[in-house]
Amino acid sequence: MQIGIVGLPFCGKSTLFQTITKTHLDPSVLSKSEAHHAIVKVPDVRLDKCSEIFSPKSTVHATIEFVDVVGLKKGESGSTQFTTNFLANVKTNDALVQVVRLFANDVVPHPDGSIDAMRDIVSFETEFILSDLSLVETRVDRIKKQLMKSGAEEYLKRELPVLEKCHQALESEKPLREMDFSKEEMAVLRTYQLLTAKPMLIALNFDESQRAEAVGIVKHVAEKKMGKQVKIVSFFGKIEMEMSELPDEEATVFMEEYGIKESALGTLIRESYALMGLQSFFTVGEDECRAWTIKNGMTAQEAAGVIHSDFVTKFIRAEVVHYDHFIAQGGSFAKAKEAGHWRLEGKEYTVSDGDIMSIRHS
């Protein structure tokens, strides 16, 4: 899974990227036009506990790739230009985090001259809608011309109504993430990587002096912008940056002193999983304890295919016990089985977040 971090100049986008990835880059590197990539482990205390129990040869966390998306430029009027290069870099991500500046700093002023969260959020939404609208209009015109010819491909007849549905929404300034699409329609849309169809986390960046007012501001923005596949989170960029440079034990003390319940990384991952409908299941043992990321609602057979593609066709049964029941029985499969929590499930079983599974296959 790849999550792109976007934002207007001087909003704290690169600060957030460095904080959650612990890649403290030199300013000369940050000023370059290339996007910055980093892969981080998904923290999971359940996997850590399983590793304590089994002492495996290896422990493998799920991972997320974060991208500091670059390419925004200042126009002649002083306003921000959404370049073709920037929009192209955004398309490749599965979800987006838009960093929105709430802090004032006279040394580094906001590029638009004032702090206005809603203005900044709308500016991105508008540019993304215009980009999608241009792409959809071009494709619709091309399909209509092709359909006028004899021997037009059948898939074009299926594609056209989906794109016309998108066109109608975009012309009404409605992001595609707010639309309802069938599985078949989503299969069409995935090929286009449309920007407004991507899940969006809006991350409001405050400074330490705003701790008292932050909750109210987050609530206000959420009332206006939170919706289908859009969530609002907050963080304190400068504090988080300082905390990321500390050893884990000192960072924990630091968080307690500032009343921070969860790190920016923890918040982003938790909310991203919820936004994208993701969950984790585990495979455990003396060789390896591992977390696997799957979509909510996946069956045991589909989840087995994430472990190895051959398991889909060779699937027989899944041995399943939920993590909570496993721990409640002292981390013992035998005791979990005696208590009736260990069971055999078929290919149609819907996997739950926190299931520990062992796949039987031919």
Side-chain angles (χ1 to χ4, degrees):
M1 179 170 61
Q2 187 180 84
I3 298 179
I5 303 176
V6 300
L8 298 175
F10 314 124
C11 67
K13 170 178 65 71
S14 293
T15 296
L16 178 61
F17 173 79
Q18 293 180 86
T19 295
I20 62 179
T21 62
K22 295 192 175 182
T23 51
H24 302 294
L25 304 176
D26 186 271
S28 62
V29 175
L30 290 172
S31 65
K32 293 182 178 180
S33 58
E34 295 88 359
H36 310 295
H37 297 249
I39 295 175
V40 302
K41 294 179 180 179
V42 175
D44 198 317
V45 295
R46 299 170 300 181
L47 180 62
D48 297 337
K49 182 64 177 178
C50 287
S51 291
E52 287 180 18
I53 293 170
F54 290 96
S55 299
K57 296 175 183 176
S58 66
T59 298
V60 184
H61 286 76
T63 60
I64 293 179
E65 180 178 8
F66 285 100
V67 183
D68 182 4
V69 183
V70 298
L72 288 180
K73 294 183 178 180
K74 293 269 285 185
E76 293 181 1
S77 64
S79 61
T80 302
Q81 288 184 336
F82 288 75
T83 65
T84 302
N85 179 54
F86 170 78
L87 294 173
N89 286 334
V90 173
K91 285 179 181 292
T92 61
N93 296 280
D94 300 306
L96 300 173
V97 176
Q98 181 190 352
V99 179
V100 178
R101 175 174 173 173
L102 270 295
F103 63 89
N105 187 329
D106 294 336
V107 178
V108 185
H110 190 289
D112 290 333
S114 62
I115 303 299
D116 187 332
M118 293 309 303
R119 177 199 61 207
D120 294 350
I121 292 169
V122 170
S123 71
F124 266 85
E125 188 172 90
T126 301
E127 290 295 333
F128 286 177
I129 287 175
L130 292 174
S131 175
D132 285 352
L133 187 59
S134 175
L135 189 155
V136 169
E137 285 180 342
T138 300
R139 182 58 181 164
V140 166
D141 289 343
R142 190 173 298 165
I143 291 176
K144 286 182 176 179
K145 290 177 181 178
Q146 290 177 294
L147 288 176
M148 293 173 67
K149 302 175 182 179
S150 60
E153 297 290 343
E154 188 65 29
Y155 76 88
L156 294 176
K157 297 177 183 178
R158 298 193 299 269
E159 190 175 346
L160 182 59
V162 180
L163 293 178
E164 287 180 329
K165 179 178 178 179
C166 293
H167 188 271
Q168 184 178 4
L170 294 167
E171 272 203 323
S172 302
E173 300 182 355
K174 186 175 184 179
L176 298 180
R177 69 177 71 87
E178 295 182 9
M179 299 287 290
D180 292 320
F181 293 103
S182 67
K183 287 185 178 180
E184 293 75 18
E185 289 173 329
M186 285 302 301
V188 171
L189 294 183
R190 272 193 289 271
T191 63
Y192 291 103
Q193 299 179 314
L194 295 168
L195 302 180
T196 64
K198 297 182 184 297
M200 174 78 80
L201 272 177
I202 297 173
L204 307 180
N205 185 10
F206 296 92
D207 67 23
E208 184 183 348
S209 67
Q210 296 173 291
R211 290 172 64 192
E213 59 185 305
V215 174
I217 294 174
V218 171
K219 183 179 179 181
H220 172 73
V221 174
E223 287 173 350
K224 290 182 174 293
K225 297 306 300 181
M226 194 158 71
K228 190 175 182 180
Q229 289 197 299
V230 177
K231 287 198 171 188
I232 316 299
V233 298
S234 64
F235 72 105
F236 298 85
K238 187 176 179 181
I239 294 176
E240 290 278 357
M241 189 66 161
E242 292 176 5
M243 190 169 66
S244 70
E245 296 173 344
L246 299 173
D248 290 343
E249 290 184 4
E250 292 183 28
T252 300
V253 175
F254 191 95
M255 288 175 65
E256 291 174 354
E257 289 179 353
Y258 278 90
I260 299 173
K261 296 180 180 179
E262 186 175 35
S263 68
L265 174 60
T267 299
L268 286 186
I269 289 177
R270 176 172 51 79
E271 294 293 355
S272 296
Y273 266 54
L275 200 60
M276 299 179 71
L278 300 176
Q279 63 181 16
S280 297
F281 74 93
F282 308 103
T283 53
V284 300
E286 294 180 357
D287 286 333
E288 179 185 83
C289 288
R290 182 165 185 157
W292 303 88
T293 302
I294 60 171
K295 283 278 189 181
N296 293 339
M298 269 194 172
T299 64
Q301 186 177 33
E302 291 170 329
V306 174
I307 299 174
H308 197 292
S309 57
D310 286 350
F311 289 179
V312 175
T313 55
K314 297 180 178 180
F315 180 91
I316 299 175
R317 286 280 189 274
E319 299 176 17
V320 183
V321 60
H322 194 274
Y323 170 84
D324 291 342
H325 295 145
F326 177 67
I327 296 301
Q329 298 301 320
S332 166
F333 285 127
K335 290 182 179 179
K337 191 171 184 177
E338 288 176 8
H341 297 308
W342 179 96
R343 59 199 186 279
L344 286 176
E345 297 287 358
K347 62 182 181 181
E348 297 301 326
Y349 168 72
T350 301
V351 180
S352 296
D353 182 54
D355 275 349
I356 297 173
M357 298 206 303
S358 177
I359 307 299
R360 293 185 183 180
H361 57 89
S362 58

